[in-house]
Amino acid sequence: MTARMRFVGVTTGSSSIMRLFPVWSELLGLDAELVGLDIPLDAPAASYRAAMREMQEDPDCVGALVTTHKIALLDATRDMFDDLDPFAAAVGEVSSIAFGPAGTRGAAKDPVTAGLALEEFLDPGHFAAGGHVLCLGAGGAGTALGWYLAQRTDRTGPLTFVDPAPERLEHLRATLTARWPDLDLRTRLLDETDVSDLLRSLPPASLVVNATGLGKDRPGSPVPDGATFPRGAVVWELNYRGSLEFLHQARAQQAGQGLTVVDGWRYFIHGWTQVISEVFGVDMPPETVQTLAQAARTSP
């Protein structure tokens, strides 16, 4: 029997994983296929419940990776899960769904994914020099990033999150301060924030992240044209495909401002390999991840 893994997103057919998964499946010794399940942005709860029923009633479906809909899906279907990992329960999102004899298990892998990706380009003592963090976007990816950063031994300066939705900012604050009451966390509504001024106020070597989805699911950037990134900043675009306006803005300033500019490719690799490990119960040591990453780079 060929196992079926689902990919719950918005435009799954254009993702690189659709051509990579068969290669990875063979390398890992899995008899498995990946099938996309597209749900529009801002879909009603009924759409998420129908998607969950479709997966649960498919005897060949062993699990799923969830991208854009991590929070909305769990909000709509929490009663359809038998178990949630601690982070999924704390933040109310799932990126991994596994079906097995014990029922439906949801997990939120983003803090692990964010950490694995960040540690590839941030030194362990990076923030000791006084860098701050500006995360544009306070959804699931932003909350997971904050969760990871709060645990670093080189505690950052202030962590500032900007988002257009007050409920997302409130949820992020409640989640992080419940665990780290002394965290220097600042939340700002986009409509009340001049992002250009905020960037100018950051010290050198700060971390600036696009966690909005702009430049992937929708065109645009959370940074206005003409804004300047702080000197020596690390600029991280969580997306690896799409119009990627934020990434292009950073690259245009890379030489002049001495920026480290990173796209979302390795974040994508770690995100998928962590969920595949969870869904199929396979080990994913660094050497295996590297083998899969190399295959991804060389696959046509």
Side-chain angles (χ1 to χ4, degrees):
M1 178 193 78
T2 297
R4 182 172 298 116
M5 181 175 175
R6 302 303 299 267
F7 174 16
V8 183
V10 180
T11 54
T12 58
S14 60
S15 174
S16 297
I17 195 64
M18 303 308 286
R19 64 175 174 80
L20 297 180
F21 188 86
V23 177
W24 285 4
S25 178
E26 183 175 354
L27 287 170
L28 293 169
L30 305 175
D31 181 8
E33 64 175 355
L34 183 69
V35 178
L37 201 169
D38 287 353
I39 301 175
L41 293 169
D42 303 316
S47 296
Y48 297 109
R49 296 188 68 83
M52 280 292 291
R53 279 195 300 273
E54 178 182 337
M55 291 187 289
Q56 288 176 324
E57 293 172 1
D58 179 355
D60 297 333
C61 186
V62 293
L65 179 140
V66 185
T67 53
T68 309
H69 305 291
K70 296 169 189 173
I71 293 175
L73 184 143
L74 186 57
D75 281 347
T77 65
R78 187 178 284 261
D79 63 307
M80 301 174 78
F81 285 86
D82 299 293
D83 184 39
L84 295 173
D85 78 357
F87 184 69
V91 302
E93 70 161 62
V94 289
S95 59
S96 169
I97 304 171
F99 304 116
T104 302
R105 172 175 168 79
K109 294 294 186 181
D110 279 0
V112 176
T113 298
L116 290 169
L118 268 172
E119 287 162 10
E120 292 185 353
F121 58 84
L122 272 189
D123 293 334
H126 176 85
F127 292 107
H132 295 186
V133 174
L134 172 60
C135 184
L136 301 164
T143 303
L145 177 65
W147 187 280
Y148 163 77
L149 289 170
Q151 301 175 73
R152 280 181 64 105
T153 55
D154 63 330
R155 180 68 70 88
T156 75
L159 277 74
T160 301
F161 290 83
V162 179
D163 198 276
E167 65 273 13
R168 284 200 291 265
L169 291 168
E170 291 164 8
H171 179 263
L172 178 142
R173 175 170 288 280
T175 299
L176 297 184
T177 57
R179 190 172 181 94
W180 296 281
D182 63 339
L183 188 65
D184 189 352
L185 177 65
R186 305 173 187 186
T187 53
R188 302 181 61 163
L189 276 170
L190 180 61
D191 288 347
E192 301 172 359
T193 301
D194 186 324
V195 174
S196 297
D197 282 347
L198 195 52
L199 286 168
R200 278 193 292 270
S201 73
L202 293 174
S206 290
L207 173 66
V208 183
V209 183
N210 177 24
T212 65
L214 283 174
K216 177 191 173 190
D217 299 322
R218 302 180 302 277
S221 168
V223 170
D225 288 336
T228 303
F229 291 97
R231 181 163 295 279
V234 178
V235 184
W236 191 19
E237 164 63 85
L238 294 190
N239 303 315
Y240 77 95
R241 65 180 176 89
S243 49
L244 300 176
E245 287 89 345
F246 176 88
L247 183 68
H248 299 320
Q249 289 170 318
R251 285 180 173 163
Q253 299 179 35
Q254 187 167 4
Q257 290 295 98
L259 307 179
T260 298
V261 181
V262 184
D263 69 12
W265 178 252
R266 293 292 294 190
Y267 184 67
F268 162 80
I269 295 290
H270 286 300
W272 272 97
T273 54
Q274 287 297 306
V275 175
I276 288 171
S277 175
E278 177 89 7
V279 168
F280 292 97
V282 296
D283 291 333
M284 203 62 68
E287 55 270 23
T288 299
V289 174
Q290 189 56 36
T291 296
L292 299 180
Q294 182 61 29
R297 284 294 189 195
T298 57
S299 294

